[in-house]
Structures are given as C-alpha cells and as structure tokens.
Amino acid sequence: GALAWGFSQAAGGGARTATFVRDSDDVIAVLGDELVRVAPGSNTPAWSLALNGTAAYKRIVVHGKSVFAIGNVASTRQAKQQLHVVEVDTASGAVKTQYSTAEGVSLGGGSLVVLESREYGAYLVWRESDNIVWHIHRLGMTSPMWEIYHAKMVEVALMPPDMLTSTIAELDTDPGLNDATPRFTLTYTRDGTQKTVVVEMYRTGDKLEMRKIASFTDSAAVAAGAQRTVAAVRTSADGVAWRVRGGAKHSGDAVYESSTYGGVTHAALVFVGSAPRIVVQTRGGLLAALAGDSREPVWTRDESLAHAADMALLALPPPASSAEHAAKETDPSVQPSAAIRFVLRWVATAQALVESVTSGFGIGSGGHGGEHAAAPTEGDHFGFRRLAVFGSTTGVVAAVGSQDGAHAWAHYLKTRVERVFITRGSQALSSAAPIAVAVGRTRNATVVTALDALTGKVVSRDTLPFAYTRVFELPASDPVSGQRLLGFAVAEPTPRLAVWPATVEAVRALGAANVPLYFELGDGAGST
C-alpha cells in the first residue's frame, strides 16, 4: 500500500481511468479531456492527446502498438447512445483512427464487456437491448462485426425473459490465463435462483468461438473449469465476496463498515506469491487490500482528500487547567488560592510547551518515523491543536488532526459535499458537542447533514426542497441548538433567502439581529 510513484495535472471535468502499458512500467491514462502516457517518476507526459470532449472515456485497452480509448456517447434526439473508440499509436500518441460502434449500449451498463488477448487482439462483446442477439467487434476494425445467438454464446438454453434480463461482467482470473483465453460471466435468474455461467473466448483457425467452462448458483462464488483456475470477485455495498479454486483453494467474504467510505465500486484479484489479494476501491475514495477471511484489510489508502471540496478548522475544547485538576484530585470543594492557581498554570504551560516542541519536531519516541497517535479530542494551551474537517465530492466527510494528520473519523454521506461549516464550536463550560455541517445538492434539492465534530456521528440530516446557488453563515445563532444559522440563496423560481435550521426561533433570531444582508445569485456579468 505504499505509494510507488504518482503523477498529477489539472484535469478539469470528464472521466478518469488508467492502465499499464504491457511489458512496461509506463501508464496510459485519461485525465479529464486528455489521453496521456507517463513514465514512473516523470513530471511531464511522454505524449498527450486532446480528446476534445468526443465521449466520456472510461476504458483504455493497450494491445501491441495501439492504444484504444473507449468512451460513452450520450443519446440525442438524432441518435441512440453508443461507444466512441479512438485508436492511438502507443509510442507517439498519434491518432490512427476513430469511430463509433455498439449502438444502444454503454460501458458499465451490464450488457457489454471488453475482452483482451495478447495473441489475437481486443474485442467488444455486447447484447442488444430487448434482443437475444450478441455482437462481437474487434477493436481497430472500424466496421466489421459479427453476430452470435444467445444459446450458442453461452451453451445454455434460456427462455426469452431470462435472456433479456441477463447481465454480463468481466472476470478476474489467475494472472496469465486471460492472455490466451479471456473470460467473462453471464448472470441470470431462473425460478427465483440467481445463476452464473463462466464463458471463455477462444479461436479455432480464423474463427472466434465461445464456450461455457463453468456454471454455479452461488452468486458470490466461482467454480473451477476443467484443468484451469477460475476466480471472481463480486462487489456489494458491504464489501466483496470472492472465491479462488485451483491448485490452492482460497475463499473469503470481506466486509467493512460501508457507512465510513461507501460501497465497493471496483475489485481486482492479484497474487502476492501464491496468496490471493483482493484490491478494492470504494465510492468514498478508499483503496484497500483484503486477504483471507480476515475482516481487517492488509493495508488501506484514504484518497478522499484528493477530492476535497471544502474544509473548516475546529478549535478543540481547551484542556482543564492544572488548578482545576489538582482540586478534583483532592477535594472538589477545595478552591486553591490565587497564588497557587497562578503557579500551577505556569507549570502546565511549560509542560505543554515542551510537549508541543518535542511532538512537532519528532523528538523522543515515535516522531514522524513511528505511528501517529489517535487524533486529538482536546486542545492545547496555545490553540495550535485543532481538527481539520473536510468534505469531498465523493461524499465523504472526515476529520484529521491539524498537527500530524492523525485520522479522527470519516462518514460517507452518499451525496457529494460542496461546503463544510462549524456551526457550533467547542465550549469549555458546556457538555454540548461541537457541530460540523456538510452541505451538498442534487438537481432539485439541498442536503444538509449535521455531525458531531469530535466523533463524526450524524446528528441530523435534512433534505431541503430547493437547489441553492450560494450558502453562507448568517450573523445570528439558533437560540434552541446554539448553532450558527446558515443562509441559502435560491435563484429559482424566484430569488429568495432560505434559513437553516428552518425553525420559527431561528428566523426570529435573524430578524432580531437587524443586520442588512448582501449576496449574489451568480458569477456571470449581469447576475443579481
């Protein structure tokens, strides 16, 4: 899980995906609207190609001297959705050809797979919508494609309803097997039971063929084909289930708390020696390796900060004074004299100064070379120790220590987060928890989630019936909860200001502040 190397550039919008160049450590990636080739440790691409917004490119295939970037083209009034393929020279990045194919399907839609073979090329295989006919197309051949009927495709006799609701998915197998015989799975439901067929593509002479090599009813499992290892990973909101059969039998169900980083979106099978590892990526930006039946990952990398949209600093509750602590240790009713309190405070201050210096510069045990301690829940005497609460476009709200980055908590909210506010700070003489508020929006609604800023526990979640154009703190607090009010500028259907919390007491408190408010409804010239 240690970072081997990295490359970054301003990518803007658009899709992002990457793959290795075969027999090389170079990576070819789609970053925003560019296709680039990058060597390890390089700060500049070997070549880059502007894709000019022709599609949302989500898949790259490298075969021999060609790179194929494959993207979804949305449907229009004039045409159905389809795929767009750009073929590029692997060495120079020059465009060889580009064309559209696979009308009516999309990457990730459950009816198309990409099959790669070192020996005889890369192919698109898909099933037409509302049809039992399958199409096979070799990448790079702009027009030729051929058809194969369902029963022959998977060697299973299915009734039309089972055929039309079936889905296909690419399959991870023991490394090296896909070079000769790429595989995929077809999953269908019959008599209320989910069944899966493993299909293998092969060639006899110049003819491309398909054959069934395994089938099973356990939707989370894999069966072994004749004389070959077949393995698969099935993702779910709660983690992954996986089976490996062959020379050594391995199986496992890896589950983690999906409320922290969201459901698993991608999973891949790799081998460390003979031991299988499942590498997973989640919606919230977590990368992790799982092994065996253990529920604890081998390693994790939290990449949600790479998608951070906003951040707010929480001043932690101040530490109890040494005088108060001494009094509690003896007799709470005893109040030390002013002179004793003065001396004890200076002693505590000196100790805190030493601790700040030694921890900040890695002096003593641990330091930067050791493991970070747990994130702080109490401030220091100088106000340096805080929690940084950030929200990401992947839907994660998380907090880390401001001094050493120690992880405090994380929570997956399912909707992208655009703004973060500390609406109620730490209060020395109050048991009320500080509150962090994450704000996001959908097409027609605004989602406001209040969390305990020290633990990440959700306090409240409100869906407001409008999509805001601006959100900002208001110069007043809610008399009930003690939280700072938030104002939402709404442009449609008529310009207005909405207040959160949306209570009568909150609105009265804002009116009592009697402060004029100014805000804009847009960024363009002529905006209100």
Side-chain angles (χ1 to χ4, degrees), residues 40-120:
S42 174
N43 292 323
T44 57
W47 53 258
S48 63
L49 174 69
L51 297 170
N52 300 321
T54 47
Y57 293 92
K58 296 184 177 180
R59 185 64 185 271
I60 300 171
V61 176
V62 180
H63 180 70
K65 298 181 179 180
S66 292
V67 177
F68 299 96
I70 310 167
N72 295 328
V73 179
S75 60
T76 63
R77 292 183 178 180
Q78 292 75 29
K80 295 182 179 179
Q81 67 177 11
Q82 56 188 335
L83 299 185
H84 192 75
V85 179
V86 179
E87 182 181 2
V88 175
D89 182 88
T90 306
S92 67
V95 176
K96 292 183 175 181
T97 185
Q98 55 181 309
Y99 58 93
S100 296
T101 186
E103 186 178 88
V105 299
S106 63
L107 292 167
S111 59
L112 177 141
V113 293
V114 182
L115 303 181
E116 304 176 48
S117 168
R118 178 191 287 261
E119 181 182 356
Y120 50 85

Side-chain angles (χ1 to χ4, degrees), residues 42-389:
S42 174
N43 292 323
T44 57
W47 53 258
S48 63
L49 174 69
L51 297 170
N52 300 321
T54 47
Y57 293 92
K58 296 184 177 180
R59 185 64 185 271
I60 300 171
V61 176
V62 180
H63 180 70
K65 298 181 179 180
S66 292
V67 177
F68 299 96
I70 310 167
N72 295 328
V73 179
S75 60
T76 63
R77 292 183 178 180
Q78 292 75 29
K80 295 182 179 179
Q81 67 177 11
Q82 56 188 335
L83 299 185
H84 192 75
V85 179
V86 179
E87 182 181 2
V88 175
D89 182 88
T90 306
S92 67
V95 176
K96 292 183 175 181
T97 185
Q98 55 181 309
Y99 58 93
S100 296
T101 186
E103 186 178 88
V105 299
S106 63
L107 292 167
S111 59
L112 177 141
V113 293
V114 182
L115 303 181
E116 304 176 48
S117 168
R118 178 191 287 261
E119 181 182 356
Y120 50 85
Y123 293 82
L124 300 177
V125 178
W126 72 93
R127 178 177 58 80
E128 288 184 351
S129 177
D130 301 325
N131 204 326
I132 63 173
V133 176
W134 294 72
H135 295 277
I136 303 175
H137 164 70
R138 180 169 180 172
L139 291 172
M141 301 178 69
T142 57
S143 56
M145 64 182 68
W146 58 96
E147 299 176 351
I148 187 170
Y149 285 89
H150 201 97
K152 183 173 177 56
M153 180 78 161
V154 297
E155 299 178 358
V156 175
L158 298 178
M159 297 299 290
D162 300 335
M163 300 179 192
L164 297 177
T165 57
S166 64
T167 59
I168 59 175
E170 295 170 30
L171 188 67
D172 280 317
T173 62
D174 195 2
L177 291 181
N178 273 350
D179 280 351
T181 50
R183 302 179 176 91
F184 64 96
T185 62
L186 178 135
T187 301
Y188 63 96
T189 301
R190 174 184 285 181
D191 300 328
T193 301
Q194 188 172 340
K195 300 184 178 183
T196 299
V197 176
V198 179
V199 182
E200 182 177 77
M201 184 173 73
Y202 68 101
R203 288 186 74 168
T204 54
D206 293 332
K207 190 175 181 181
L208 194 67
E209 302 282 359
M210 300 284 178
R211 61 187 171 202
K212 179 183 73 173
I213 63 170
S215 62
F216 47 89
T217 56
D218 179 0
S219 62
V222 185
Q227 309 263 319
R228 50 177 63 87
T229 300
V230 180
V233 181
R234 181 174 296 277
T235 65
S236 71
D238 297 321
V240 295
W242 56 281
R243 302 288 187 271
V244 182
R245 302 273 207 283
K249 294 186 178 181
H250 303 278
S251 66
D253 296 294
V255 181
Y256 80 107
E257 182 52 57
S258 58
S259 65
T260 302
Y261 286 98
V264 175
T265 57
H266 297 86
L269 175 70
V270 297
F271 282 80
V272 179
S274 61
R277 296 281 188 273
I278 306 299
V279 180
V280 299
Q281 178 182 338
T282 73
R283 295 187 185 280
L286 186 73
L287 195 66
L290 312 171
D293 294 324
S294 172
R295 290 174 178 260
E296 292 298 322
V298 178
W299 54 259
T300 61
R301 287 187 64 87
D302 181 359
E303 300 293 345
S304 58
L305 264 175
H307 307 277
D310 195 19
M311 186 268 290
L313 282 174
L314 169 69
L316 291 166
S321 72
S322 299
E324 292 169 344
H325 179 73
K328 291 177 182 178
E329 285 291 315
T330 54
D331 182 356
S333 64
V334 175
Q335 292 295 328
S337 67
I340 293 177
R341 291 200 304 268
F342 180 80
V343 172
L344 290 176
R345 285 193 181 111
W346 271 107
V347 170
T349 300
Q351 291 174 341
L353 179 59
V354 172
E355 291 174 2
S356 296
V357 173
T358 55
S359 64
F361 293 95
I363 302 172
S365 61
H368 291 300
E371 293 185 356
H372 287 308
T377 57
E378 185 180 82
D380 56 16
H381 287 266
F382 307 101
F384 295 146
R385 189 183 300 154
R386 300 187 175 205
L387 276 185
V389 182

